[in-house]
Amino acid sequence: ITGLYKAGMSTSEIFGDLNGYLAGTSDLSGALRASVDLAAASELDMVAASELAAVTLATFGGELTTSAERADFVNAAMNNFVQTADASVASVQSLADAFVNVGPTAAAMGMGVETVNTALAIMSTRGIQGAEAGTQLKSMLLGMQADAAKAGGAMEQLGVSMYTADGAMRPLPDVLADLGAAMAGMTEQQRNQTIATIAGSYGMNAMNALLGEGASGWAEMEVAIAGAATMQDT
């Protein structure tokens, strides 16, 4: 509780309807409930669980305005961590370690928690986990962003756009699907050179893992995560 307050959360964001909970008319909710459930359903202790809840809210919940929205977001996000771990090779701890590195970059590019976790889940099946996965995914995203902003860049030559006409980032799986289709006829050498140009030397493994699964693999992982056990189920 102290940690959640230190992270700047309000009482209602931490407890939900505290008066109702004390009166026995409502359940405990908010970030505290999310932290308790997450610690019970994963290898994290209460401190680590509350830190992940606070950091995730601060990183991805900036546009939420009401305490109820922020409390609901934290619970949904922590559930997604547990379900992602259940549906992949990753653990909640390794996902948390990855988020430290990739979270701010992904959030700044308009990506949500679910998209980041799906990418990390796919990467975990290729042996890329933890802080290393977060760094590689961040490098890939930054490389893609830099290439897309460059006149005559590799993505432009391939006819692939990262952004819509109004400047919003397109969904990451859609961009990756377009890249995969555009490189379908390349030799292995051409493909590797193109990926290195777009993703950078440190983001190549991340892009190769995600392109290797393709759009169907991404969709299958999303289905697996959605159908996995929640914190309450676990």
Side-chain angles (χ1 to χ4, degrees), residues 57 63-74:
L57 176 61
E63 296 182 358
L64 303 175
T65 56
T66 69
S67 295
E69 287 177 335
R70 289 165 65 82
D72 288 344
F73 170 83
V74 170

Side-chain angles (χ1 to χ4, degrees), residues 59-60 95 97-109 111 115-117 119-120 123 128-147 162-163 169 172 176 195 198-207 210:
T59 305
F60 290 90
L95 293 171
D97 291 341
F99 257 68
V100 172
N101 292 329
V102 72
T105 298
M109 295 176 71
M111 295 169 60
T115 298
V116 178
N117 272 340
L120 293 171
M123 291 169 64
I128 310 171
Q129 295 194 52
E132 179 72 11
T135 301
Q136 289 191 23
L137 184 58
K138 179 184 74 173
S139 297
M140 184 197 85
L141 293 173
L142 291 175
M144 293 172 68
Q145 189 175 45
D147 188 82
M162 272 194 74
Y163 300 97
M169 182 174 168
L172 180 61
L176 292 171
I195 291 174
I198 296 172
S201 59
Y202 208 67
M204 282 186 66
N205 286 343
M207 181 167 282
L210 297 174

